[in-house]
């Protein structure tokens, strides 16, 4: 079949194929189960563990989990036995240490519970099969460390690495093949020498240092607080596209790179602004509903689902959780959605910009910090102007941004996110913070030692302490509470009521590294403020309000440059940011250079101890290498696509027009329209051929310099190969407009975006 025939067959299948339906779980009386009754049923929770273990064993585990003692062999063996029985009762035949290498994905190796015991008897050797899972097997496994990115820390002949059970994240079972299931053990991943080779180890370290620093500051501000633990909370808004799987299978560029390397927008896409929050297509709703059910069973609290701005684009978002657990749950959600979409003959696309010209996808990370008493330290309460604890922690976050904004830019940088950053759905390369009019007024009033302004507008609203109530002037509608701040969708880092929304994080990346960097920067700022407060209070047992205000005013002045309330896309802001001394980082390779600048290295290594210098240099090398490889893969894919599909299609179309013109000439009929079409087509084909040669030469030059400095290699990919890719794409897209549809071999945007 021709490409055109395959496209049409896929369209017919999408329109007429059988739709998958799922029966929601029911109780014995036939009534549907409540979500709360399903939640976590496939998770080996602390409550489940407590029931399965002797009390002394469980108490010993809790002490280890809190960092008060090591996990002894007896406790480990007891937990291993209990979780094996629990998992096998749910169909598990295998277990895996599930970890997060620096590949942008997760990794797992499945081992069976089945073991063989050999006994030697007078009659000969006797082999007995048993199901077994030891404490040692629970605690660690050994993947090949030379087969994952290590940035030079491990070589091919240094293959040993370890995955170690992360006891802060619960084990769970997930559906496997043929009615079985698999026990998943969330783990960290380290080298033979103990270096972090993954995303999770450094995240857990950053959680620990943030907890100590923040607890120290809270107890200094409030000596009677007795806070022993502070933790970062996280809620990830996961955006994605869903396309028909048959259409996807006909697009080699989507399969290989995750994005379309050629393609023209259809006449109607997102310009009518009618897809956002519109009715979710029934096929998609069925798939997301099934995904939510599986997430419920895994203890993942999915709260929200809705259409996003672009056609075929959607979002799901969870309830906030402790940061490391939230990261695990986000990665699990992505995996579950991928598997469920397959069952519905859909394909999920997590690439930040799978389709040129419509909105890309992000993973907005909503971040806050809370105490072990359940208090959100970023909650303004009803009177933020006198809540000095809130103001101080707010300033700590602003100070972190002001001092280490380039690191946040590094943390969200990739070849795929470059397509999204600076467009209308994601913030640009200047990291600033949006607070809203009222919080800005609070800080300005404190700095200037004056009363705060009244934000009431009598004809439309009445003032309320800490916020306002909107009166809609419609008799049948209730008054509604208005937040302290509006929302600024152009801000990369916006305060949204009681948390910060880090909007620049890419949809397909793990949130681990961005949250790790944010935790580190805030930790350094908290320590700086703590030292300033101690110096201000002198020998006093506790700081006075005057001491607090003195420190607050100092840091209001220091952090003022990073506060911006306007349009982050405007040229005026670019000029203003330059005057304020804020870096404007335009590309991913440029961002990577900041990771190894002395100021940021010192903070990440000596000051907070989250990374060793070896680990940091390794990550720098991995990031640059991955960027260059991604660009090379895209270039080679586009070259193949053009040479083997698009150019032949254009040649076929030219031939058909030429044959028509020749036939008309024989009949002495005017062939002017055909000749005109050929004259329009020919230069477009020539341009495509020329740009193909230019891209081939650019890739050859890049590959020839792969032994150069890692960042120079990435810079060459960015500055030479990416423009060549764009030029070749433009030439191919120009051809798509004029080549007859029946000759075009690839599914078009209309079919990809509007066929669900």
């Amino acid at each position: 079949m021709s490409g055109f025939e395959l496209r049409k067959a896929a369209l017919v299948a999408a329109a007429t194929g059988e739709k998958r339906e799922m029966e929601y779980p029911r109780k014995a009386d036939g009534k549907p189960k409540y979500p709360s009754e399903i939640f976590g049923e496939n998770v080996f929770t602390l409550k489940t563990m407590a029931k399965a273990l002797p009390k002394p064993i469980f108490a010993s585990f809790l002490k280890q989990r809190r960092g008060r003692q090591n996990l002894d062999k007896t406790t480990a063996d007891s937990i291993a036995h209990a979780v094996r029985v629990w998992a096998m009762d749910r169909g598990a035949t295998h277990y895996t240490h599930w970890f997060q290498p620096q590949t942008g994905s997760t990794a797992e190796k499945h081992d069976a519970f089945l073991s063989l015991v050999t006994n030697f008897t007078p009659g000969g050797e006797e082999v007995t099969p048993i199901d077994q899972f030891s404490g040692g097997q629970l605690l660690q496994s050994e993947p090949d460390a030379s087969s994952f990115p290590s940035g030079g820390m491990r070589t091919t002949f240094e293959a040993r690495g370890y995955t170690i059970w992360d006891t802060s994240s619960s084990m769970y079972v997930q559906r496997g093949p043929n009615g079985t299931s698999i026990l998943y053990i969330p783990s960290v991943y380290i080298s033979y020498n103990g270096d972090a080779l993954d995303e999770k180890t450094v995240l857990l370290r950053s959680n620990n240092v943030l907890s100590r620093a923040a607890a120290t500051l809270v107890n200094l501000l409030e000596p009677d607080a007795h806070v022993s633990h502070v933790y970062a909370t996280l809620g990830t808004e996961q955006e994605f596209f869903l396309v028909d799987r048959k259409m996807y299978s006909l697009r080699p560029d989507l399969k290989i790179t995750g994005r379309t390397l050629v393609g023209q927008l259809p006449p109607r896409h997102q310009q009518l602004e009618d897809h956002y929050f519109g009715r979710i297509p029934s096929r998609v709703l069925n798939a997301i509903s099934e995904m939510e059910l599986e997430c419920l069973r895994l203890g993942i609290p999915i709260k929200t689902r809705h259409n996003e701005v672009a056609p075929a684009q959607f979002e799901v978002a969870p309830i906030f959780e402790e940061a490391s657990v939230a990261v695990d749950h986000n990665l699990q959600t992505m995996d579950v959605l991928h598997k469920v979409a397959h069952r519905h003959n859909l394909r999920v696309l997590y690439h930040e910009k799978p389709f040129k010209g419509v909105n890309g996808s992000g993973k907005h990370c909503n971040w806050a910090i809370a105490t072990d008493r359940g208090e959100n330290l970023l909650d303004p309460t009803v009177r933020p102007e006198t809540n000095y604890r809130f103001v101080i922690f707010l300033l700590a976050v602003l100070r972190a941004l002001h001092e280490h904004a380039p690191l946040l830019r590094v943390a969200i940088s990739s070849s795929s996110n470059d397509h999204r950053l600076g467009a209308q759905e994601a913030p640009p390369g200047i990291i600033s913070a949006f607070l809203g009019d009222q919080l800005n007024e609070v800080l300005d009033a404190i700095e200037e030692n004056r009363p705060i302004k009244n934000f009431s507008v009598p004809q439309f609203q009445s003032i309320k302490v800490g916020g306002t109530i909107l009166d809609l002037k419609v008799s049948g509608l209730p008054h509604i509470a208005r937040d302290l701040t509006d929302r600024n969708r152009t801000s990369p880092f916006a305060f949204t009521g009681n948390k910060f929304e880090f909007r620049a994080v890419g949809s397909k990346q793990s949130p681990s590294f961005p949250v790790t960097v944010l935790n580190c920067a805030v930790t350094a700022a908290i320590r700086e403020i703590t030292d300033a407060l101690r110096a201000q209070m002198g020998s006093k047992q506790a700081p006075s309000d005057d001491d607090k205000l003195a420190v607050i005013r100092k840091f209001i002045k220091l952090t003022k440059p990073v506060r911006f309330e306007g349009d982050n896309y405007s040229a005026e802001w670019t000029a203003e940011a330059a005057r304020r001394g804020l870096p404007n980082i335009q590309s991913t390779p440029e961002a990577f250079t900041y990771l190894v600048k002395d100021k940021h290295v010192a903070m990440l290594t000596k000051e907070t101890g989250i990374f060793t210098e070896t680990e940091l240099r390794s990550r720098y090398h991995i990031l640059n290498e991955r960027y260059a490889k991604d660009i090379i893969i895209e270039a080679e894919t586009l070259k193949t696509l053009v040479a083997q599909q698009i150019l032949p299609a254009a040649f076929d179309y030219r031939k058909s027009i030429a044959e028509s013109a020749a036939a008309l000439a024989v009949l002495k009929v005017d062939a002017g329209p055909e000749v005109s079409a050929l004259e329009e087509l020919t230069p477009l084909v020539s341009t495509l051929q020329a740009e193909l040669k230019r891209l081939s030469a650019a890739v050859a030059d890049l590959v020839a310099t792969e032994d150069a400095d890692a960042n120079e290699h990435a810079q060459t990919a960015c500055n030479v190969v990416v423009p060549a890719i764009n030029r070749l794409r433009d030439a191919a897209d120009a051809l798509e407009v004029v080549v007859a549809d029946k000759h075009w071999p690839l599914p078009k945007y209309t079919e990809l975006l509007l066929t669900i």
Side-chain angles (χ1 to χ4, degrees), residues 658-679:
E659 289 175 345
S660 295
L664 290 169
V666 170
L667 297 173
K668 298 183 179 181
V669 176
D670 180 20
E674 285 76 12
V675 172
S676 177
L678 273 175
E679 289 174 346

Side-chain angles (χ1 to χ4, degrees), residues 3-12 14-15 242-251 254 260 263-268 283 311-312 345-346 349 355 736 740-756:
F4 174 74
E5 290 169 330
L6 289 170
R7 284 167 51 202
K8 296 309 175 188
L11 277 172
V12 171
L242 283 170
V243 298
D244 182 81
R245 190 151 55 92
K246 287 186 175 65
M247 292 292 178
Y248 167 85
S249 69
L250 298 175
R251 290 290 307 224
L254 270 181
T260 53
Q264 283 276 9
L265 280 176
R268 177 177 177 269
R283 186 178 175 192
N345 288 316
L346 295 167
L349 305 177
F355 301 103
E736 183 183 327
D741 187 57
K742 71 176 184 178
H743 288 274
W744 197 254
L746 303 169
K748 298 183 177 181
Y749 275 22
T750 302
E751 297 153 349
L752 288 163
L753 293 172
L754 306 177
T755 309
I756 48 172

Side-chain angles (χ1 to χ4, degrees), residues 687-702:
T687 299
L688 186 66
Q689 287 180 309
E691 292 299 344
L692 177 59
K693 290 180 181 178
R694 292 178 69 184
L695 177 59
S696 297
V699 172
D701 290 345
L702 178 63

Side-chain angles (χ1 to χ4, degrees), residues 134-332:
S134 69
Q137 291 170 316
L138 167 64
L139 290 179
Q140 73 178 62
S141 182
E142 186 181 326
D144 184 347
S146 67
S147 298
F148 290 102
S150 69
M153 284 197 293
R154 308 296 289 161
T155 62
T156 303
F157 62 87
E158 295 175 318
R160 196 179 298 279
Y162 301 108
T163 53
I164 303 171
W165 175 31
D166 170 21
T167 58
S168 68
S169 190
S170 297
M171 293 177 278
Y172 59 95
V173 293
Q174 199 166 8
R175 185 201 293 202
N178 305 315
T180 65
S181 60
I182 301 158
L183 173 65
Y184 281 74
I185 305 165
S187 305
V188 300
Y189 174 44
I190 62 172
S191 74
Y192 179 70
N193 297 319
D195 296 309
L197 294 174
D198 65 340
E199 302 286 7
K200 194 173 194 183
T201 301
V202 290
L203 174 61
L204 294 175
R205 290 175 186 168
S206 73
N207 286 341
N208 288 339
V209 298
L210 175 65
S211 175
R212 290 194 295 269
T216 298
L217 180 54
V218 171
N219 291 325
L220 180 64
L221 293 168
E222 302 170 359
D224 295 330
H226 304 298
V227 168
S228 60
H229 182 69
V230 173
Y231 57 95
T233 63
L234 182 67
T236 53
E237 302 172 29
Q238 180 66 57
E239 296 174 345
F240 55 93
F241 282 79
L242 283 170
V243 298
D244 182 81
R245 190 151 55 92
K246 287 186 175 65
M247 292 292 178
Y248 167 85
S249 69
L250 298 175
R251 290 290 307 224
D253 47 356
L254 270 181
K255 292 169 68 175
I256 297 171
T257 71
R259 76 181 183 104
T260 53
L261 298 176
V262 295
Q264 283 276 9
L265 280 176
R268 177 177 177 269
H269 43 91
Q270 68 183 43
Q271 70 268 51
L272 295 180
E273 301 175 328
D274 57 348
H275 191 260
Y276 189 62
F277 278 27
R279 182 186 63 81
I280 302 174
S282 58
R283 186 178 175 192
V284 172
L285 187 57
N286 284 346
I288 292 180
S289 178
E290 185 172 345
M291 178 274 293
E292 288 174 330
L293 176 60
E294 293 210 10
C295 285
L296 274 177
R297 289 173 171 149
L298 293 172
I300 303 171
I302 299 295
K303 183 73 172 177
T304 301
R305 65 190 183 203
H306 64 82
N307 284 6
E308 259 299 333
V309 171
Q313 188 185 31
F314 308 93
E315 178 185 301
V316 294
I319 298 171
F320 290 21
E321 302 175 281
E322 191 275 325
S324 62
V325 174
V327 168
D328 280 1
H329 281 172
N330 174 253
L331 297 174
Q332 290 174 46

Side-chain angles (χ1 to χ4, degrees), residues 445-683:
I446 292 174
E447 181 186 13
E448 297 163 15
N449 196 21
R450 60 170 173 76
I452 64 171
K453 295 176 183 176
N454 190 325
F455 278 81
S456 65
V457 182
Q459 65 269 32
F460 291 112
Q461 59 195 42
S462 56
I463 193 69
K464 165 183 119 169
V465 175
T468 56
I469 297 176
L470 296 181
D471 181 357
L472 303 181
K473 300 302 179 184
V474 179
S475 60
L477 295 178
H479 292 184
I480 62 168
R482 185 170 77 166
D483 291 316
L484 275 174
T485 63
D486 197 354
R487 293 191 68 186
N488 186 334
R489 290 181 61 85
T490 72
S491 174
F493 205 84
F495 189 77
T496 56
N498 59 1
K499 62 189 182 299
F500 278 96
E501 183 181 20
F502 191 10
R503 295 179 51 83
V505 180
S507 55
K508 78 173 184 179
Q509 76 174 111
S510 166
S512 286
F513 188 41
V515 174
T516 296
V517 168
L518 181 55
N519 285 352
C520 292
V522 173
T523 296
I526 288 173
R527 289 176 175 174
E528 183 183 3
I529 290 175
T530 301
D531 291 343
L533 192 58
R534 283 179 170 149
Q536 181 67 34
M537 59 188 275
S539 60
K540 287 181 281 191
Q541 292 294 314
S544 65
D545 284 352
D546 287 341
D547 294 331
K548 296 174 187 176
L549 282 169
V551 171
I552 286 171
R553 290 189 178 106
K554 172 185 175 181
F555 281 90
I556 288 174
K557 292 176 182 177
L558 288 174
T559 60
K560 212 165 189 175
V562 85
R563 288 158 45 194
F564 181 64
E565 303 301 300
D567 182 359
N568 283 256
Y569 299 135
S570 67
E572 291 79 8
W573 168 232
T574 301
E576 173 61 24
R579 285 192 290 272
R580 296 185 185 189
L582 301 181
N584 183 2
I585 303 171
Q586 294 295 303
S587 72
T588 285
E590 180 190 356
F592 291 159
T593 63
Y594 286 85
L595 188 61
V596 290
K597 290 189 182 295
D598 292 344
K599 172 182 177 179
H600 305 307
V601 170
M603 187 276 287
L604 292 169
T605 58
K606 296 175 184 176
E607 294 176 25
T608 61
I610 304 306
F611 293 89
T612 65
E613 289 204 24
T614 300
E615 290 169 345
L616 202 59
R617 295 284 172 180
S618 163
R619 185 171 291 264
Y620 170 75
H621 184 88
I622 290 169
L623 290 170
N624 281 289
E625 183 180 61
R626 175 61 185 266
Y627 179 88
K629 286 180 176 179
D630 283 343
I631 299 304
I632 291 171
I633 289 169
E634 287 195 355
E636 294 289 356
T637 302
L638 182 56
K639 283 168 53 185
T640 302
L641 203 62
V642 169
Q644 297 184 6
Q645 295 200 47
I646 296 176
L647 273 174
F651 294 154
D652 283 346
Y653 183 48
R654 288 181 79 221
K655 179 183 176 183
S656 69
I657 297 175
E659 289 175 345
S660 295
L664 290 169
V666 170
L667 297 173
K668 298 183 179 181
V669 176
D670 180 20
E674 285 76 12
V675 172
S676 177
L678 273 175
E679 289 174 346
E680 180 185 8
L681 184 62
T682 299

